[in-house]
Coordinates of all heavy atoms in Angstrom, one line a residue:
L4 N 14.9 -2.1 0.4 CA 14.9 -3.5 0.7 C 16.1 -4.0 1.5 O 16.1 -5.1 2.1 CB 14.7 -4.3 -0.6 CG 13.4 -4.1 -1.3 CD1 13.3 -5.0 -2.6 CD2 12.2 -4.5 -0.4
A5 N 17.2 -3.2 1.5 CA 18.4 -3.5 2.2 C 18.3 -3.1 3.7 O 17.4 -2.3 4.0 CB 19.6 -3.0 1.5
A6 N 19.2 -3.6 4.5 CA 19.3 -3.1 5.9 C 19.7 -1.7 5.9 O 20.6 -1.3 5.1 CB 20.3 -4.0 6.7
P7 N 19.0 -0.8 6.7 CA 19.4 0.6 6.7 C 20.8 0.7 7.3 O 21.3 -0.1 7.9 CB 18.4 1.2 7.7 CG 17.2 0.2 7.8 CD 17.9 -1.1 7.5
P8 N 21.4 1.9 6.9 CA 22.8 2.1 7.4 C 22.8 2.1 8.9 O 21.8 2.4 9.6 CB 23.1 3.5 6.9 CG 22.2 3.7 5.7 CD 20.9 2.9 6.0
P9 N 24.0 1.8 9.5 CA 24.1 1.8 11.0 C 23.7 3.1 11.6 O 24.0 4.2 11.1 CB 25.6 1.5 11.2 CG 26.0 0.8 9.9 CD 25.2 1.4 8.9
G10 N 23.0 3.0 12.7 CA 22.6 4.3 13.4 C 21.2 4.8 13.1 O 20.6 5.5 13.8
V11 N 20.6 4.3 11.9 CA 19.3 4.8 11.5 C 18.2 4.3 12.4 O 17.4 5.1 13.0 CB 19.1 4.5 10.0 CG1 17.6 4.8 9.7 CG2 20.0 5.2 9.1
L12 N 18.2 3.0 12.5 CA 17.1 2.4 13.3 C 17.2 2.8 14.8 O 16.1 3.1 15.5 CB 17.1 0.9 13.2 CG 16.9 0.4 11.8 CD1 16.8 -1.2 11.8 CD2 15.7 1.0 11.2
D13 N 18.4 2.9 15.4 CA 18.5 3.3 16.8 C 18.0 4.8 16.9 O 17.3 5.1 17.9 CB 20.0 3.2 17.2 CG 20.4 1.7 17.4 OD1 19.5 0.9 17.5 OD2 21.6 1.5 17.4
A14 N 18.4 5.6 16.0 CA 17.9 7.0 16.0 C 16.4 7.1 16.0 O 15.8 7.9 16.7 CB 18.6 7.8 15.0
V15 N 15.8 6.3 15.1 CA 14.4 6.3 15.0 C 13.7 5.8 16.2 O 12.7 6.4 16.7 CB 13.9 5.5 13.7 CG1 12.4 5.4 13.7 CG2 14.4 6.2 12.5
R16 N 14.2 4.7 16.8 CA 13.6 4.1 18.0 C 13.7 5.1 19.2 O 12.8 5.3 20.0 CB 14.3 2.8 18.4 CG 14.0 1.7 17.3 CD 14.7 0.3 17.8 NE 14.7 -0.7 16.8 CZ 15.7 -1.2 16.2 NH1 16.9 -0.7 16.5 NH2 15.6 -2.1 15.3
A17 N 14.9 5.8 19.3 CA 15.1 6.8 20.3 C 14.1 7.9 20.2 O 13.6 8.4 21.2 CB 16.6 7.2 20.3
A18 N 13.9 8.3 19.0 CA 12.9 9.4 18.8 C 11.5 9.0 19.3 O 10.8 9.8 19.9 CB 12.9 9.9 17.3
A19 N 11.1 7.8 18.9 CA 9.8 7.3 19.3 C 9.7 7.2 20.9 O 8.7 7.5 21.5 CB 9.5 6.0 18.7
A20 N 10.8 6.8 21.5 CA 10.9 6.6 22.9 C 10.7 8.0 23.6 O 10.2 8.0 24.7 CB 12.1 5.9 23.3
R21 N 11.2 9.0 23.0 CA 11.1 10.4 23.5 C 9.7 11.0 23.3 O 9.4 12.0 23.8 CB 12.1 11.3 22.8 CG 13.6 11.1 23.2 CD 14.4 12.2 22.7 NE 14.4 12.3 21.3 CZ 15.3 11.7 20.5 NH1 16.2 10.9 21.0 NH2 15.3 11.9 19.1
G22 N 8.8 10.2 22.5 CA 7.5 10.7 22.4 C 7.3 11.5 21.1 O 6.2 12.1 20.8
S23 N 8.2 11.4 20.2 CA 8.0 12.1 18.8 C 7.1 11.3 18.0 O 7.0 10.1 18.1 CB 9.4 12.2 18.1 OG 10.3 12.9 18.8
R24 N 6.3 12.0 17.2 CA 5.6 11.3 16.1 C 6.7 10.8 15.1 O 7.7 11.4 14.9 CB 4.7 12.3 15.4 CG 3.5 12.8 16.3 CD 2.6 13.7 15.4 NE 3.2 14.8 14.8 CZ 2.8 16.1 15.1 NH1 1.9 16.3 16.0 NH2 3.4 17.1 14.5
V25 N 6.4 9.6 14.5 CA 7.3 9.1 13.5 C 6.5 8.8 12.3 O 5.5 8.1 12.3 CB 8.0 7.8 14.0 CG1 9.0 7.3 13.0 CG2 8.7 8.1 15.3
A26 N 6.9 9.3 11.1 CA 6.2 9.2 9.9 C 7.1 8.7 8.8 O 8.3 8.7 9.0 CB 5.6 10.5 9.5
A27 N 6.5 8.2 7.8 CA 7.3 7.7 6.6 C 6.6 8.0 5.3 O 5.3 8.0 5.3 CB 7.5 6.2 6.7
V28 N 7.3 8.3 4.3 CA 6.8 8.6 3.0 C 7.1 7.5 2.0 O 8.3 7.1 1.9 CB 7.2 10.0 2.5 CG1 6.7 10.2 1.1 CG2 6.9 11.1 3.4
G29 N 6.2 6.9 1.3 CA 6.5 6.0 0.3 C 7.2 4.8 0.8 O 6.9 4.1 1.8
T30 N 8.4 4.4 0.2 CA 9.2 3.3 0.6 C 9.9 3.6 1.9 O 10.5 2.6 2.5 CB 10.2 3.0 -0.5 OG1 11.0 4.0 -0.7 CG2 9.5 2.4 -1.7
G31 N 9.8 4.7 2.5 CA 10.3 4.9 3.8 C 9.6 4.1 4.8 O 10.2 3.8 5.9
T32 N 8.5 3.6 4.5 CA 7.7 2.8 5.5 C 8.5 1.4 5.7 O 8.4 0.9 6.7 CB 6.2 2.5 4.9 OG1 5.6 3.7 4.7 CG2 5.5 1.6 5.9
F33 N 9.2 1.0 4.7 CA 10.0 -0.3 4.9 C 11.1 0.0 5.9 O 11.4 -0.9 6.7 CB 10.7 -0.6 3.5 CG 9.7 -1.3 2.6 CD1 8.8 -0.6 1.8 CD2 9.7 -2.7 2.4 CE1 8.0 -1.2 0.8 CE2 8.9 -3.3 1.5 CZ 8.0 -2.6 0.7
T34 N 11.7 1.2 5.9 CA 12.7 1.5 6.9 C 12.1 1.5 8.3 O 12.6 1.0 9.3 CB 13.4 2.8 6.6 OG1 13.9 2.7 5.2 CG2 14.6 3.1 7.5
L35 N 10.9 2.2 8.4 CA 10.3 2.3 9.6 C 9.8 0.9 10.2 O 9.9 0.6 11.4 CB 9.0 3.3 9.5 CG 8.2 3.5 10.8 CD1 9.1 4.0 11.9 CD2 7.1 4.5 10.5
A36 N 9.3 0.1 9.3 CA 8.9 -1.2 9.6 C 10.1 -2.0 10.2 O 10.0 -2.9 11.1 CB 8.2 -2.0 8.5

């Protein structure tokens, strides 16, 4: 429920921009959202 640590969201967005599949398990969906 808290803001993810610095660097996490940028790394995930960069992976998506490269064409990677991006998945989340359980509450990991909150981080992805």
Side-chain angles (χ1 to χ4, degrees):
L4 295 179
V11 169
L12 298 184
D13 287 343
V15 172
R16 294 186 190 110
R21 289 192 296 268
S23 298
R24 294 186 298 243
V25 182
V28 179
T30 57
T32 303
F33 283 80
T34 306
L35 180 53

